Amino acid sequence: MKKTFPFILLFFFISNINGQQLDSISNHKKLSYKSFILPSALIGSGALLLNSQFNRDNQEKSNSLFGSNFHTQADNVTIFVPLIQIYAGELLGFTPKNTIKYRTIDVITANTLSYTLVTILKNSVKSTRPDGSDQLSFPSGHTAIAFTNAALLYQEYKDANFWYASSGFVFATATGILRIANNKHFSSDVLAGAGIGLASGILVSHYNPLQKLRFGKKKKGTAFVYPQIGNKIGFEMLIQPSF
């Protein structure tokens, strides 16, 4: 039972997500504090488990289960599956709530918020990774980004197809598990990362001031947003103006 405890809240979210109020600005519904109960619980659980014996015991069990030399790059793939799904859903015949332009604005805003919060905490807490590679363990950036986009995916397609909208959380949860299996993060890091990602996605889907931006017809430009995978996980944007 203890072995599965760090993921109980993650799976609880998936099974009860239909009750969450991830309502977009276009629906003119107020942002309820209830929407942040689960993200707060995840972040709080992660903070409480930080540097705990329970946390270390869980990691030892993970190493015993997967093997001390286990290593996979799959977590660098699953992290971006929910992001791809945000755009692929329309191609599969599901109707999103927002146009591709406003979906992209939400994606950029939410991921920037999530990445910024994670970076600040990593450099403030300075928790050593299980493999001892650095002191940027808490919280998990991979997990935060995956859950950020999973929350946005749910917001876009929950009315069109609940199962497709919810599927992003499967890949987000898998990302967190793989980070532990790779000995890169403790359970506390994954829980906190999931909470930050959910909070970022929920907040931006309800309120994003950048959605009010209007671009003039005479001035057009091209913007490319692409993931960056390396020593750090993040997003980069290349803007090519046209004068």
Side-chain angles (χ1 to χ4, degrees), residues 59-60 62-71 131 181-183:
Q59 197 65 30
E60 290 180 3
S62 173
N63 292 338
S64 176
L65 176 64
F66 291 98
S68 57
N69 296 321
F70 177 85
H71 181 71
D131 64 359
N182 272 332
N183 210 33

Side-chain angles (χ1 to χ4, degrees), residues 151-241:
L152 293 176
L153 171 69
Y154 179 75
Q155 162 62 25
E156 287 295 330
Y157 296 100
K158 65 186 178 74
D159 293 332
N161 188 291
F162 171 75
W163 297 110
Y164 180 78
S166 304
S167 63
F169 292 103
V170 176
F171 294 100
T173 302
T175 299
I177 294 174
L178 288 172
R179 294 304 286 168
I180 296 175
N182 272 332
N183 210 33
K184 286 295 184 180
H185 285 289
F186 291 104
S187 300
S188 59
D189 309 334
V190 169
L191 288 171
I196 291 172
L198 287 175
S200 299
I202 291 171
L203 179 62
V204 170
S205 66
H206 278 82
Y207 176 71
N208 185 356
L210 296 180
Q211 288 280 15
K212 298 179 181 180
L213 291 178
R214 295 293 183 269
F215 302 94
K217 294 182 179 180
K218 293 183 179 180
K219 295 183 179 180
K220 296 181 179 180
T222 304
F224 300 94
V225 181
Y226 55 93
Q228 176 187 2
I229 304 176
N231 292 329
K232 294 184 178 180
I233 296 295
F235 289 83
E236 292 190 0
M237 180 169 64
L238 174 64
I239 301 178
Q240 181 180 354

Side-chain angles (χ1 to χ4, degrees), residues 3-45:
K3 184 175 181 181
T4 59
F5 175 77
F7 304 108
I8 289 178
L9 291 176
L10 301 184
F11 291 112
F12 174 81
F13 180 80
I14 296 174
S15 62
N16 292 276
I17 191 170
N18 197 31
Q20 293 297 315
Q21 299 176 355
L22 295 177
D23 301 304
S24 65
I25 301 174
S26 60
N27 287 337
H28 302 289
K29 293 184 179 180
K30 293 183 179 180
L31 178 61
S32 171
Y33 73 91
K34 294 180 181 179
S35 299
F36 294 97
I37 291 177
L38 181 60
S40 299
L42 289 169
I43 296 172
S45 297

Side-chain angles (χ1 to χ4, degrees), residues 42-85:
L42 289 169
I43 296 172
S45 297
L48 288 174
L49 288 176
L50 185 63
N51 297 324
S52 67
Q53 185 60 46
F54 177 84
N55 210 26
R56 290 187 287 271
D57 289 344
N58 255 12
Q59 197 65 30
E60 290 180 3
K61 292 178 181 179
S62 173
N63 292 338
S64 176
L65 176 64
F66 291 98
S68 57
N69 296 321
F70 177 85
H71 181 71
T72 178
Q73 292 292 330
D75 51 352
N76 288 329
V77 176
T78 56
I79 180 180
F80 292 115
V81 173
L83 173 62
I84 295 172
Q85 288 181 287

